[in-house]
Amino acid sequence: MENQTRITEFILLGLSNNPQVQIFLFLVFLIIYAGTLLGNSAIILVIRNEASLHTPMFFFLSHLAFVDICYSSVTVPKMLQNLIAKQKTISVSGCLAQIFFFILFIGTEVFILSAMAYDRYVAICHPLRYSAIMKQQLCRQMVGGAWAMGFLDAVVNTLPLLNLRFCRLNTISHYSCEIPSLLSLTCSDTFFNYVVLFTSSFVFGGTSFLLPLVSYVYIISAILKIQSAKGRSKAFSTCSSHLIVICLFYLSVFFRYVKPSSPSLKDLDRVASIQYSVLTPMLNAIIYSLKSKDMKIALGKLFGKSS
């Protein structure tokens, strides 16, 4: 093993080998990425400048928009480069860095979504105590906790990868680096890496999924107890945007990582991966902009339109 050539870069096969298809995909994903940057930047700018949006929900939304920009920027620029480049490669260190920041931002995102779910729980189940509970200090602590959990998850999963040696295949059948892809290429023992991956997924992923689930069980229960249909509709509208975002995100992630691995499903894996890593950051901005009346009014003011 020591006499084998050590691999210093990987080849990313991407989404297609057809040059015409690659150009088409480059234009599509360039538009999506531009939409992600512009949409989420507009949300951050509007929330910062509009006093009526200085509430806990929009405070969390501004941080979610920032994370979406970072989250999308980890993989999409490299994917765009490889779609038009002859040499579709990434260095081992670059691959590890991509994995670290991807886990950091995706971990932060899911815990911010959990914080937003708790905010909606307090707003609907304890409306009279909302102002007393959701104070600015608590909101900052929750966002700080989300970043801390994302960072811890990234460190726990990335550090064991530093000891891996790559001396066999160097082809990744994907458009970005992911831990399972690296583990399948290494010539080192991977038992500990799989244990860490499984444990961290259970702890961090399970926790971030359980918190919104429990919150929405209470939220839906409280909404169903409302007597008037108008009251139920109004209560549901306050959390519908967040619920849609959570469902889109978790369904695609669960399909990608929970289902059995199969070569025949590789194309579906890529589609699911595109959903949560490329489309979701853009869709978040669109969903919150369209579903929130306050956001639509503020965006109209920002772009000089009458509200």
Side-chain angles (χ1 to χ4, degrees):
M1 184 180 298
E2 293 298 329
N3 292 331
Q4 293 178 343
T5 303
R6 189 165 186 171
I7 291 173
T8 58
E9 63 181 15
F10 299 111
I11 299 173
L12 297 171
L13 295 183
L15 300 172
S16 174
N17 292 324
N18 188 315
Q20 293 181 338
V21 174
Q22 288 178 347
I23 294 175
F24 172 76
L25 291 175
F26 174 82
L27 294 175
V28 169
F29 289 122
L30 180 61
I31 293 172
I32 292 174
Y33 184 56
T36 299
L37 297 182
L38 292 174
N40 286 288
S41 297
I43 287 177
I44 295 172
L45 183 61
V46 165
I47 294 175
R48 179 180 294 272
N49 294 331
E50 186 63 38
S52 63
L53 300 183
H54 292 175
T55 63
M57 184 62 182
F58 288 105
F59 173 77
F60 292 131
L61 179 57
S62 65
H63 283 274
L64 181 68
F66 175 72
V67 172
D68 279 335
I69 291 174
C70 300
Y71 173 32
S72 179
S73 298
V74 172
T75 57
V76 178
K78 185 62 178 178
M79 179 177 67
L80 291 174
Q81 177 189 345
N82 285 341
L83 282 171
I84 58 175
K86 293 183 178 180
Q87 297 294 327
K88 308 178 189 300
T89 60
I90 184 171
S91 65
V92 172
S93 58
C95 194
L96 294 176
Q98 191 177 72
I99 289 174
F100 174 84
F101 286 108
F102 182 79
I103 297 175
L104 167 64
F105 295 129
I106 197 174
T108 304
E109 170 136 338
V110 295
F111 280 103
I112 289 180
L113 288 173
S114 298
M116 296 172 76
Y118 178 74
D119 173 78
R120 293 299 84 200
Y121 159 75
V122 176
I124 293 176
C125 298
H126 304 284
L128 299 179
R129 299 177 54 202
Y130 181 79
S131 298
I133 296 175
M134 299 303 297
K135 294 181 178 179
Q136 189 176 46
Q137 182 180 1
L138 177 62
C139 295
R140 289 176 176 174
Q141 290 173 346
M142 294 175 76
V143 170
W147 280 99
M149 294 295 282
F151 178 78
L152 182 60
D153 191 13
V155 169
V156 166
N157 279 282
T158 308
L159 281 180
L161 300 178
L162 299 178
N163 297 322
L164 297 180
R165 285 178 55 85
F166 301 97
C167 49
R168 292 201 296 263
L169 300 175
N170 69 332
T171 301
I172 297 176
S173 182
H174 203 49
Y175 61 84
S176 65
C177 293
E178 294 184 341
I179 293 179
S181 300
L182 284 193
L183 296 184
S184 66
L185 298 178
T186 183
C187 49
S188 304
D189 179 57
T190 58
F191 176 77
F192 178 72
N193 298 87
Y194 277 110
V195 170
V196 170
L197 179 61
F198 175 80
T199 305
S200 64
S201 299
F202 179 79
V203 173
F204 293 100
T207 302
S208 62
F209 176 72
L210 188 61
L211 291 174
L213 179 63
V214 172
S215 296
Y216 273 101
V217 168
Y218 282 102
I219 288 171
I220 294 173
S221 177
I223 291 176
L224 293 176
K225 292 178 182 179
I226 298 175
Q227 297 296 326
S228 67
K230 184 178 180 180
R232 287 195 298 269
S233 176
K234 183 178 180 181
F236 183 75
S237 66
T238 64
C239 60
S240 58
S241 301
H242 182 252
L243 186 59
I244 293 172
V245 167
I246 283 183
C247 290
L248 286 174
F249 181 81
Y250 277 106
L251 285 175
S252 57
V253 171
F254 282 170
F255 178 84
R256 175 69 179 90
Y257 289 100
V258 176
K259 71 170 184 57
S261 178
S262 172
S264 62
L265 296 177
K266 281 187 176 181
D267 290 338
L268 290 178
D269 288 343
R270 294 190 185 100
V271 171
S273 179
I274 289 171
Q275 165 61 38
Y276 67 77
S277 63
V278 180
L279 294 179
T280 293
M282 181 189 68
L283 291 176
N284 287 354
I286 294 175
I287 291 170
Y288 279 109
S289 298
L290 294 179
K291 295 289 290 183
S292 173
K293 181 180 179 181
D294 293 335
M295 181 61 70
K296 285 191 288 187
I297 293 174
L299 284 171
K301 292 180 181 179
L302 175 67
F303 293 106
K305 296 178 181 178
S306 59
S307 58

